[in-house]
């Protein structure tokens, strides 16, 4: 459930470099080495974002982008270009690209743009909650850490959802109890500890870092 990124780049070494960096960040990556393959792949896999080289054999990046937009595809597109010329940049934006990165680029810059555009998509989809490498889909009730699907019980899901809607905020045990279990809950309030323990076991089963932290005497917080 991590974001799927399509890289369309004909320079094999550069494509591989971008692919490795993106995979290292936890993205799913597909590479196409020419424009036509890029276009068919984009239609086939419906990526969450496309990194698109301008100068491509077959179909240029600009033309690929234009064709995607004419069919109503709104996937964010970041153009890679060596053309440091205002009129060329305008042409890229006119063709429907959302952003461009000038070659040669630093990988940090490219990754920052990728994150920014994916965040924007996420803000348009309120069903999708993301925190670090954790993704929770409120409508399908699916949870993923990196690419690993995590099976949760209904209550575990509700508890995690509540934490994820308030990232980096300390939630008191009373608030958690009221929100997740309801005002009329008459059971043992230690139930929260029990469920937090279950959640941590599932979220950290592959030695991932702890993201649900205990604030002693107060409650819990979702924090790296
Ligand atoms: Ca090229």
């Amino acid at each position: 459930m991590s974001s799927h990124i399509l890289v369309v780049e004909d320079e094999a070494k550069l494509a591989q470099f971008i692919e490795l960096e993106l995979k290292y960040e936890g993205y799913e990556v597909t590479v196409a080495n020419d424009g036509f393959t890029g276009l068919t792949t984009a239609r086939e896999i419906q990526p969450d974002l496309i990194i698109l080289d301008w100068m491509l054999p077959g179909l240029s990046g600009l033309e690929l982008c234009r064709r995607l937009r004419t069919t109503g595809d709104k996937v964010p597109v970041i153009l890679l270009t060596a053309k440091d010329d205002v009129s060329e940049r305008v042409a890229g934006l006119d063709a429907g690209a959302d952003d461009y990165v000038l070659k040669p680029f630093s990988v940090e810059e490219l990754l920052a743009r990728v994150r920014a555009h994916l965040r924007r998509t996420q803000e348009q989809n309120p069903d999708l909650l993301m925190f670090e490498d954790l993704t929770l889909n409120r409508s399908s009730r699916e949870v993923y850490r990196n690419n690993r699907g995590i099976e949760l019980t209904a209550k575990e899901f509700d508890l995690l959802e509540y934490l994820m809607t308030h990232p980096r905020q300390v939630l008191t045990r009373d608030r958690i109890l009221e929100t997740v279990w309801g005002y009329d809950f008459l059971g043992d309030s230690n139930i929260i500890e029990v469920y937090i323990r279950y959640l941590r076991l599932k979220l950290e089963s592959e030695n991932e870092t702890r993201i649900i932290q205990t604030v002693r005497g107060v409650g819990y917080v979702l924090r790296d």
Side-chain angles (χ1 to χ4, degrees), residues 108-124:
E108 287 77 15
E109 185 192 359
L110 181 63
L111 291 173
R113 303 282 179 97
V114 166
R115 280 194 297 273
H117 285 282
L118 289 175
R119 202 179 307 130
R120 207 166 299 163
T121 315
Q122 187 199 337
E123 280 160 7
Q124 290 156 359

Side-chain angles (χ1 to χ4, degrees), residues 33-145:
N33 295 117
D34 67 79
F36 283 111
T37 312
L39 185 62
T40 33
T41 310
R43 287 179 173 155
E44 199 177 292
I45 67 173
Q46 299 283 311
D48 299 300
L49 184 139
I50 302 178
I51 296 175
L52 180 60
D53 186 29
W54 183 306
M55 301 290 281
L56 289 168
L59 193 66
S60 76
L62 215 59
E63 188 54 32
L64 194 165
C65 192
R66 209 173 276 134
R67 292 198 191 184
L68 275 179
R69 296 304 186 228
T70 47
T71 53
D73 198 325
K74 292 189 174 69
V75 58
V77 172
I78 300 176
L79 263 181
L80 300 180
T81 176
K83 297 168 187 267
D84 188 14
D85 179 310
V86 175
S87 63
E88 298 287 356
R89 290 184 203 178
V90 171
L93 298 174
D94 279 348
D98 299 274
D99 206 348
Y100 56 88
V101 171
L102 211 58
K103 283 180 172 181
F105 52 85
S106 77
V107 71
E108 287 77 15
E109 185 192 359
L110 181 63
L111 291 173
R113 303 282 179 97
V114 166
R115 280 194 297 273
H117 285 282
L118 289 175
R119 202 179 307 130
R120 207 166 299 163
T121 315
Q122 187 199 337
E123 280 160 7
Q124 290 156 359
N125 182 0
D127 279 342
L128 215 54
L129 301 178
M130 291 168 114
F131 183 79
E132 301 294 332
D133 54 3
L134 193 62
T135 311
L136 179 147
N137 189 320
R138 295 165 114 169
S139 56
S140 66
R141 293 184 75 87
E142 288 174 308
V143 175
Y144 286 81
R145 186 143 196 204

Side-chain angles (χ1 to χ4, degrees), residues 9-11 53 55:
E9 168 63 68
D10 59 313
E11 289 168 55
D53 186 29
M55 301 290 281

